[in-house]
Amino acid sequence: WLNYIVMKNAGLKQPRTAILTHEENIDIPIKEIGGKYPMILKTAQGTQGIGVIFIDSRQSLLGTMQLVNKIDENIAMLVQEFIKTSYDVRVMVLNDEVVGQLKRPVVSGDFRSNVSQGSLPKKMELTELEKSECIKAAKSVKGNWVGVDFIPSKDREKEPPYFIEINSSPGTGHIDELNDINISKLVLETFKNRDNWRL
């Protein structure tokens, strides 16, 4: 949610998102994101695609919300507009520079594209607009080294992507071989230089 607020304030394009609070108010966040199904429910503590749930009706949203609350009533939840895509993109931004990226196809029979869920990443090139928007996203959270995830727009040269999230501890699987880099070496060399430390 804080990711969403910070990127929204920075003017970055994102799927419409709203906080889920109480069952009695469930129609308010539904309306805020456009009122269309399917939609995505996310728990605030999710990672590696776990805690990201495909919701196809008001009934399933309510039932899932009740289940999560029963397990832990303190877990924050949000709903997000579903944007259909065949893949999303993970971009490594280090010290305000794009150093690598990969294409993550949606897993067969699923809607997620996390490598931890079985996606097999592929090499890809970014447009100049996508690069500049990813750097802008990293700057919005004051991130020295982050993984920026986005869904590409239909016209990648002219329309900015939909940002999903910014990861403060990004997984680096497949980044090296698909970009011909050594991400660990790049990170270590960057932060050996104290000029790159942000206090």
Side-chain angles (χ1 to χ4, degrees):
W1 178 247
L2 292 177
N3 246 212
Y4 175 75
I5 294 297
V6 168
M7 286 194 284
K8 183 179 180 181
N9 290 340
L12 293 159
K13 188 176 174 184
Q14 300 175 86
R16 286 176 288 184
T17 305
I19 283 274
L20 281 175
T21 52
H22 305 287
E23 292 176 29
E24 299 81 15
N25 300 331
I26 196 171
D27 290 316
I28 296 173
I30 292 173
K31 185 177 179 181
E32 287 177 358
I33 67 167
K36 293 181 180 178
Y37 296 95
M39 60 181 60
I40 302 298
L41 180 143
K42 294 183 177 180
T43 58
Q45 289 82 6
T47 182
Q48 298 181 329
I50 300 167
V52 180
I53 303 161
F54 186 85
I55 300 293
D56 59 7
S57 67
R58 186 182 185 280
Q59 184 178 8
S60 65
L61 176 59
L62 184 59
T64 305
M65 186 179 178
Q66 289 170 339
L67 176 62
V68 172
N69 278 329
K70 184 172 180 64
I71 295 168
D72 185 346
E73 61 184 19
N74 295 315
I75 291 181
M77 289 175 279
L78 53 87
V79 282
Q80 196 166 67
E81 174 187 13
F82 176 67
I83 298 175
K84 188 173 178 58
T85 183
S86 60
Y87 71 96
D88 70 13
V89 182
R90 159 63 59 86
V91 179
M92 289 288 172
V93 180
L94 177 62
N95 204 32
D96 299 337
E97 180 185 353
V98 171
V99 295
Q101 65 277 332
L102 50 79
K103 176 180 182 178
R104 304 186 302 187
V106 170
V107 178
S108 178
D110 203 335
F111 67 97
R112 295 170 295 180
S113 55
N114 304 76
V115 173
S116 57
Q117 297 298 325
S119 179
L120 297 174
K122 298 179 180 178
K123 187 179 180 69
M124 77 169 294
E125 297 296 325
L126 299 179
T127 66
E128 290 304 313
L129 176 59
E130 289 168 341
K131 288 180 184 178
S132 64
E133 288 290 290
C134 285
I135 292 168
K136 185 177 175 182
K139 287 181 175 179
S140 75
V141 297
K142 299 181 174 64
N144 294 60
W145 175 38
V146 292
V148 179
D149 297 343
F150 71 75
I151 296 171
S153 63
K154 289 182 180 178
D155 186 345
R156 295 176 52 214
E157 297 284 348
K158 297 180 180 178
E159 296 176 12
Y162 289 92
F163 286 98
I164 307 168
E165 63 182 351
I166 304 171
N167 299 274
S168 60
S169 55
T172 59
H174 304 281
I175 283 289
D176 287 355
E177 62 264 36
L178 292 175
N179 293 274
D180 195 25
I181 60 171
N182 184 330
I183 189 66
S184 299
K185 184 177 180 181
L186 286 174
V187 170
L188 288 170
E189 287 179 346
T190 297
F191 295 115
K192 277 198 311 189
N193 181 353
R194 287 177 179 258
D195 291 340
N196 293 326
W197 294 15
R198 297 179 189 167
L199 303 176

